Amino acid sequence: MDIAVNILLTIATAATPLLVAAIGELVVERSGVLNLGVEGMMIMGAVAGFGASYLTGSPWAGLLAAMVVGALFSLLFAVMTLSLATNQVATGLSLTLLGLGLSGMMGTGFVGLPGERLPYLYIPFLSDLPVVGKLLFGQDPVFYISIALTAAVAWFLFRTRAGLTLRSIGDSHTSAHALGIKVIRYRYLAVLFGGACAGLAGGQLSLVYTPQWVENMSAGRGWIALALVVFASWRPWRVFAGAYIFGMIWIGQLHVQAIDLQQFAGAPWLLYKVMELLKSLPSQYLAMLPYLATIVVLVLISRNKRLTMMNTPASLGQPFVPDR
């Protein structure tokens, strides 16, 4: 039971940055903006979070710095794509490359240094309950923030006037502008929110998941977050489910590499053979599983055009220049 609880805890920790980054990107894409710079914002948030926590001795300061840097990076993207009407795909890719290179340069002095870990929540009695105590009342703060963000975004998009306005901009920015809606203002706010979420996700990596700085430690999670938005057909609670599925795949491949086949000696023959096959695979193949799952999911979704078009913002990725 203890092993199962620990595995579930690590799955939640691995899924949290995916969920936070994907929820932020969902809001951005609902406004009609396609931001492919999530990976760059995440890695910048990771280095900023670690650096601020190391220099101040406070992981909370690191978490705040990660969000601020992520938002500032997204502001650069917003100025380029919304004010100067540059190509969103090219700008997002450039931002990712800039973030990967700049974070490596900024983090040179932090390599190998011990980090400050965010404290885990502890509630007397509740945190001591068997199984559910650690899972529900003993997690890190970002875990609870991710769930609150998911609920808040779902409520905002489908229960508020501002959320309806944002979705209308994503569906037709021209019609929204004709009705007097400040399209650029809404998109700026959406992009800044998405950048802050990506920075928060990066901060979770360097302050919770692995409390240290390692170059390129985001390891493609920003791209998986982008795929999650499409996988969830732009629905917040589906993003939540998808993040935990991918988190399970991510942690599962790590546990398979470290598994002892003797533990399955008395298991059914088929299960033992499956575990034996997985154990015999090179670790590089197992490490590919999260990315392979991402490709498979995108291929399957692309085959169903009705599912793809059902919730896709019609103005996604299209530049908007208001009439003067």
Side-chain angles (χ1 to χ4, degrees), residues 71-222:
L72 289 175
F73 227 55
S74 69
L75 180 61
L76 175 61
F77 173 84
V79 170
M80 295 293 292
T81 59
L82 302 180
S83 297
L84 303 180
T86 60
N87 184 276
Q88 294 178 13
V89 174
T91 305
L93 292 174
S94 301
L95 204 66
T96 289
L97 295 176
L98 174 63
L100 292 172
L102 186 59
S103 64
M105 183 183 69
M106 292 174 57
T108 303
F110 297 131
V111 176
L113 296 177
E116 297 286 339
R117 182 188 288 272
L118 274 173
Y120 287 92
L121 181 68
Y122 179 78
I123 302 175
F125 179 71
L126 291 179
S127 298
D128 297 326
L129 291 174
V131 184
V132 296
K134 287 184 177 180
L135 290 176
L136 299 180
F137 307 107
Q139 296 273 12
D140 65 274
V142 186
F143 168 80
Y144 301 103
I145 292 173
S146 69
I147 297 177
L149 272 176
T150 305
V153 167
W155 172 80
F156 170 78
L157 287 176
F158 302 104
R159 292 290 185 271
T160 67
R161 184 182 182 89
L164 176 61
T165 302
L166 186 76
R167 289 188 289 126
S168 69
I169 291 171
D171 287 333
S172 177
H173 50 220
T174 305
S175 299
H177 177 67
L179 292 173
I181 296 173
K182 303 296 184 182
V183 174
I184 299 298
R185 180 186 300 174
Y186 271 89
R187 285 185 169 176
Y188 256 98
L189 293 174
V191 170
L192 286 173
F193 174 79
C197 287
L200 177 61
Q204 193 267 2
L205 291 176
S206 60
L207 297 173
V208 177
Y209 189 78
T210 306
Q212 60 180 343
W213 165 249
V214 179
E215 188 174 352
N216 197 26
M217 67 186 304
S218 55
R221 288 176 175 85

Side-chain angles (χ1 to χ4, degrees), residues 14-90:
T16 297
L18 298 176
L19 175 58
V20 173
I23 282 293
E25 178 61 18
L26 182 145
V27 173
V28 175
E29 294 191 14
R30 277 289 188 175
S31 73
V33 179
L34 179 61
N35 183 3
L36 298 183
V38 177
E39 179 80 4
M41 297 173 193
M42 281 185 71
I43 196 65
M44 286 299 295
V47 69
F50 181 87
S53 66
Y54 179 79
L55 295 174
T56 64
S58 171
W60 294 104
L63 207 61
L64 179 61
M67 295 176 63
V68 170
V69 169
L72 289 175
F73 227 55
S74 69
L75 180 61
L76 175 61
F77 173 84
V79 170
M80 295 293 292
T81 59
L82 302 180
S83 297
L84 303 180
T86 60
N87 184 276
Q88 294 178 13
V89 174

